[in-house]
C-alpha cells in the first residue's frame, strides 16, 4: 500500500510539472549577442550538474545542487530563450495542489489536509 501511495505521489508531481509547463516555451532563435549562446549552454550544464549533485552528494552538501539548479534557471532567462505565456489562476492552483499533494505522498505516504 505504501508503494502505491508513493507511485501516486510521483504521478501527481509529474502532473504538476505538466500543468505548469504548458505555458512555458523554449526557443532556439539565434540572438545577435555572443554571450547568449554561452548562457544557454551554461544553463543546461548547471541544471544537469545540479540534479546530479542532489542525488550524489551527502545530505549536508545538497545546497550545492540547489544552487546549481538556481544558476541554471537564471541563465535560461538571461539567454532570453524562455517565453512565459500567461497562466490562468485555475491552472496555477491545480499545479500547486498537485505538487504539494504529490510531494506529501512521495515523502510521507499520506496527505496532511
Amino acid at each position: 500500500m505504501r508503494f502505491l501511495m508513493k507511485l501516486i505521489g510521483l504521478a501527481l508531481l509529474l502532473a504538476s510539472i505538466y500543468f505548469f509547463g504548458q505555458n512555458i516555451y523554449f526557443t532556439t532563435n539565434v540572438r545577435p549577442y555572443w554571450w547568449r549562446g554561452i548562457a544557454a549552454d551554461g544553463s543546461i550544464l548547471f541544471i544537469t550538474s545540479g540534479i546530479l549533485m542532489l542525488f550524489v552528494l551527502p545530505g549536508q552538501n545538497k545546497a550545492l545542487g540547489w544552487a546549481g539548479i538556481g544558476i541554471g534557471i537564471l541563465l535560461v532567462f538571461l539567454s532570453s530563450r524562455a517565453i512565459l505565456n500567461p497562466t490562468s489562476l485555475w491552472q496555477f492552483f491545480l499545479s500547486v495542489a498537485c505538487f504539494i499533494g504529490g510531494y506529501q505522498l512521495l515523502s510521507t505516504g499520506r496527505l496532511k489536509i
Side-chain angles (χ1 to χ4, degrees):
M1 186 66 168
R2 189 142 175 101
F3 176 73
L4 181 63
M5 288 299 165
K6 291 194 181 273
L7 193 61
I8 292 171
L10 181 63
L12 283 173
L13 279 174
L14 291 175
S16 73
I17 293 170
Y18 172 75
F19 289 134
F20 191 65
Q22 281 182 334
N23 293 323
I24 300 174
Y25 299 101
F26 294 97
T27 64
T28 57
N29 294 338
V30 177
R31 300 289 182 188
Y33 305 113
W34 63 272
W35 59 271
R36 293 192 187 228
I38 294 172
D41 295 339
S43 67
I44 298 296
L45 292 174
F46 274 104
I47 289 174
T48 304
S49 63
I51 291 171
L52 184 65
M53 283 189 264
L54 282 177
F55 285 107
V56 173
L57 292 178
Q60 64 270 18
N61 294 331
K62 296 220 187 263
L64 290 173
W66 287 113
I69 291 172
I71 291 170
I73 291 171
L74 180 68
L75 287 175
V76 166
F77 291 111
L78 285 177
S79 68
S80 297
R81 298 198 180 188
I83 299 170
L84 302 175
N85 288 336
T87 303
S88 69
L89 186 59
W90 174 247
Q91 265 186 317
F92 183 73
F93 172 77
L94 193 59
S95 175
V96 170
C98 284
F99 181 78
I100 292 171
Y103 181 75
Q104 284 182 354
L105 282 175
L106 195 61
S107 63
T108 64
R110 60 189 174 123
L111 287 175
K112 300 175 189 172
I113 298 177

